[in-house]
Amino acid sequence: ILVTFVPFCFVFCSVFPGMEKAIVRPFKRPNALCRLICFPWAGGATSHFAQWGKLFSSLIEVSVVRLPGRESRVKEPFAKDMTAVVNDITNALLKDLQEKPFAFFGHSFGAYISYAVAVHLKEKHGLEPIHLFLSGAYAPHSEAFLLMGKVNEAKDEDILEHVKFLGGTPSEFLKNEDIKKHLILTVREDVSILQTYSFEKVERKTIFSCDVTCFDGSEETVHQAEAWLNITRGDTSIYSLPGGHFYLLDPSNEIFLIKHITKCIENAAL
């Protein structure tokens, strides 16, 4: 089943009052040393990464990207291509990213979006993250990544079964028909965005100087993460943590991520 190569899950709406439309920042830290921008997985919402804001030290302020079609943007049409997604995020973040150092963390689908935004910022605005953290994402030219283009040919029940297989989605959500329908639609729309972006073309002309770290779940299909390391002249590393695709939801793995990301950011920002 081709859809089994699609990295996604769904976290139902959790809207924090008073937040910007495209960016969630529940724990504002104006005196932070660096901003960490988090990019959720396909079909995902902002709730998990929003809680990271209180787990990091006062030196790091966490923001989370919110795409159209979910949470407070549920009435907006889904983005149809990567250009629209990148422009939406850039417009919301550019002023902040010009003010102080920033790093990106993207999981699964979010890793690809974070990479595309980083490329745009470098090419159009001369900005670059101090560190790029890519989690649970197949290398852009791996066979598994290319198969994701078949998601629109998959049946609804196949997508739903894969959601259950990957884990990370509360079972009570999957029992609700409205949530299931929105989940399937969101996953299709999100993954389709990846097919509108030429990773190969970008990779040939845009090389970063920042450090890049890849994270994977040890029980999941090999992501060929080494291929990601070619996008930079900086230092690179790969960490395989216990668990499957949603290894990062395990509390012990989350503690490791928080400590490691903090160390990398502090070293880079100094």
Side-chain angles (χ1 to χ4, degrees):
I1 302 173
L2 296 178
V3 76
T4 58
F5 293 101
V6 180
F8 58 73
C9 194
F10 178 76
V11 177
F12 197 51
C13 298
S14 175
V15 180
F16 296 85
M19 292 182 182
E20 300 174 36
K21 181 176 67 170
I23 303 298
V24 171
R25 189 177 296 148
F27 302 96
K28 292 181 173 61
R29 291 173 173 164
N31 297 321
L33 181 69
C34 176
R35 289 190 167 98
L36 175 65
I37 316 301
C38 297
F39 297 74
W41 44 88
T46 61
S47 55
H48 178 75
F49 289 126
Q51 295 307 307
W52 276 21
K54 63 183 179 182
L55 300 180
F56 280 92
S57 73
S58 59
L59 297 177
I60 298 173
E61 182 183 66
V62 175
S63 300
V64 191
V65 168
R66 176 190 285 140
L67 297 182
R70 68 215 76 202
E71 298 183 324
S72 61
R73 306 186 70 182
V74 69
K75 294 184 178 180
E76 296 181 40
F78 290 100
K80 293 304 180 184
D81 55 43
M82 186 69 84
T83 298
V85 170
V86 168
N87 287 339
D88 184 42
I89 296 171
T90 301
N91 290 338
L93 281 175
L94 186 57
K95 183 177 182 296
D96 286 346
L97 301 187
Q98 290 172 329
E99 292 177 349
K100 64 178 63 177
F102 63 94
F104 285 170
F105 180 98
H107 180 69
S108 197
F109 166 78
Y112 306 114
I113 302 301
S114 70
Y115 172 67
V117 173
V119 168
H120 179 76
L121 288 170
K122 184 174 178 66
E123 292 183 347
K124 303 299 182 182
H125 302 283
L127 297 172
E128 186 173 333
I130 59 174
H131 205 114
L132 191 57
F133 301 98
L134 304 171
S135 169
Y138 298 105
H141 307 305
S142 65
E143 179 182 0
F145 177 84
L146 296 176
L147 286 172
M148 286 196 295
K150 302 295 184 179
V151 65
N152 286 327
E153 299 175 12
K155 298 179 180 179
D156 287 357
E157 53 267 32
D158 291 335
I159 293 180
L160 199 57
E161 280 303 309
H162 194 57
V163 170
K164 297 177 183 177
F165 171 76
L166 289 179
T169 305
S171 59
E172 57 268 27
F173 290 168
L174 299 180
K175 295 176 183 177
N176 183 295
E177 289 301 318
D178 289 336
I179 293 177
K180 285 197 296 186
K181 289 179 181 178
H182 188 72
L183 160 62
I184 293 168
L185 173 62
T186 306
V187 167
R188 289 191 190 280
E189 294 288 343
D190 282 355
V191 178
S192 294
I193 289 172
L194 301 182
Q195 311 313 311
T196 69
Y197 191 72
S198 176
F199 287 91
E200 184 176 3
K201 179 180 178 181
V202 170
E203 190 176 346
R204 286 199 301 264
K205 67 176 183 176
T206 304
I207 302 294
F208 297 104
S209 58
C210 65
D211 294 348
V212 173
T213 301
C214 295
F215 300 102
D216 274 313
S218 60
E219 299 171 10
E220 198 179 14
T221 304
V222 177
H223 284 118
Q224 296 178 304
E226 292 81 2
W228 278 113
L229 307 184
N230 296 325
I231 66 176
T232 186
R233 292 187 296 271
D235 292 337
T236 60
S237 55
I238 300 174
Y239 291 88
S240 183
L241 301 179
H245 187 65
F246 284 96
Y247 74 89
L248 75 170
L249 300 183
D250 180 272
S252 61
N253 288 337
E254 186 171 59
I255 290 173
F256 175 87
L257 287 173
I258 299 299
K259 289 182 177 179
H260 187 76
I261 292 170
T262 297
K263 180 181 177 180
C264 291
I265 287 177
E266 289 179 350
N267 290 340
L270 292 176

